[in-house]
Amino acid sequence: MHEKRTHAYLILDETIFHPKGGGQPSDRGVIRSHDYEVTVKKAIHYKGVVIHWAKLNRGAPSEGEAICELDWPYRYLVMRRHTAAHLLDHCLARTVRTRVQTTDSWLDEPCYVGYAGGIPSEETLRSTEVLANSMITKGASVNIRSLSSEGARELLQNAPNYERLPDLSEIRTVTIDGCQPIPCGGTHVRNLAEIGRVSVGNAERFSSDSFRLHFSVSASVSSS
Ligand SMILES: [Zn+2]
């Protein structure tokens, strides 16, 4: 008796699944054709290729055309969290009136941004939250563009993740209107208003000189 396969690795010639990277968890969803259907658990970037690790639901994967379907509610949540994380960088820096330096982030559970330095005061955290929500309420466009690395280094020297800038010839940047451009390869919403509302949770010491700021996003309470 042979062991029944339950999972498979799939490679597509193009994909809508955003791979895990830079604190952003990978997309989830379904790939299906006449012959098979799989649930994508993880998409991983490996040597220039996106590999989909998936659970087999029906049939066995074979070559040929396939339909990809994202778990859109989850992806959209990640996009809102991701944009909120950049907004928090900006608002924390404005509140403490100095540049902040991010160490890492994670946008699944638990959702946080890591920063260098000591834990800010409760008052700082509340002011950061208030400022972020006032900017969300006003709304601001979020723009993506690619810069050559020579031009980018100077423009991005105050970016919260400058120390972690990869050595690439082209650098993709995300700019919330009115804020400092940030180098980032992830997925974001097009306008701050889509975030809804951000809640700043507890700041947890992570090492002697860094902390994790936990946060969540929720649909805004709107009268309209
Ligand atoms: Zn980003």
Side-chain angles (χ1 to χ4, degrees):
M1 197 172 97
H2 67 272
E3 208 181 313
K4 195 171 179 298
R5 271 206 309 162
T6 58
H7 290 78
Y9 292 99
L10 284 82
I11 296 172
L12 309 175
D13 61 354
E14 52 183 353
T15 184
I16 58 171
F17 290 87
H18 194 281
K20 178 173 184 277
Q24 180 164 334
S26 96
D27 279 331
R28 306 165 182 169
V30 170
I31 301 174
R32 70 166 73 86
S33 77
H34 293 301
D35 305 327
Y36 67 90
E37 183 190 274
V38 302
T39 298
V40 176
K41 297 287 185 185
K42 227 170 238 181
I44 306 147
H45 206 251
Y46 182 73
K47 294 187 177 176
V49 178
V50 176
I51 299 170
H52 307 76
W53 182 68
K55 181 176 168 293
L56 300 175
N57 299 333
R58 165 173 66 79
S62 55
E63 276 190 35
E65 283 195 7
I67 290 169
C68 297
E69 203 177 286
L70 279 190
D71 176 347
W72 174 248
Y74 178 70
R75 155 66 94 83
Y76 192 52
L77 174 67
V78 169
M79 286 163 66
R80 289 165 58 230
R81 284 179 174 177
H82 194 145
T83 313
H86 292 315
L87 179 63
L88 289 176
D89 297 345
H90 171 83
C91 294
L92 182 60
R94 264 184 63 187
T95 305
V96 297
R97 294 195 181 84
T98 182
R99 178 182 171 246
V100 294
Q101 184 189 335
T102 55
T103 54
D104 67 335
S105 69
W106 185 236
L107 300 168
D108 197 14
E109 305 298 339
C111 178
Y112 67 83
V113 187
Y115 294 99
I119 292 182
S121 68
E122 187 58 29
E123 193 188 346
T124 297
L125 297 182
R126 296 286 71 85
S127 301
T128 300
E129 184 184 72
V130 167
L131 179 57
N133 283 310
S134 74
M135 289 177 71
I136 291 168
T137 305
K138 251 189 239 163
S141 63
V142 179
N143 299 299
I144 304 295
R145 66 185 170 129
S146 286
L147 300 171
S148 70
S149 73
E150 303 96 71
R153 293 257 162 204
E154 203 178 329
L155 183 69
L156 299 172
Q157 58 185 325
N158 286 321
N161 56 353
Y162 181 78
E163 284 77 3
R164 298 186 288 139
L165 206 56
D167 195 13
L168 298 170
S169 58
E170 275 226 323
I171 294 175
R172 184 178 184 264
T173 63
V174 52
T175 310
I176 299 168
D177 204 16
C179 305
Q180 146 91 41
I182 296 177
C184 185
T187 63
H188 312 85
V189 292
R190 287 196 163 163
N191 194 294
L192 286 188
E194 293 177 61
I195 295 170
R197 189 185 153 73
V198 63
S199 300
V200 172
N202 68 317
E204 167 203 12
R205 179 168 297 288
F206 182 64
S207 74
S208 60
D209 197 33
S210 70
F211 65 94
R212 287 177 167 178
L213 186 62
H214 293 264
F215 71 97
S216 60
V217 299
S218 55
S220 61
V221 184
S222 169
S223 53
S224 60

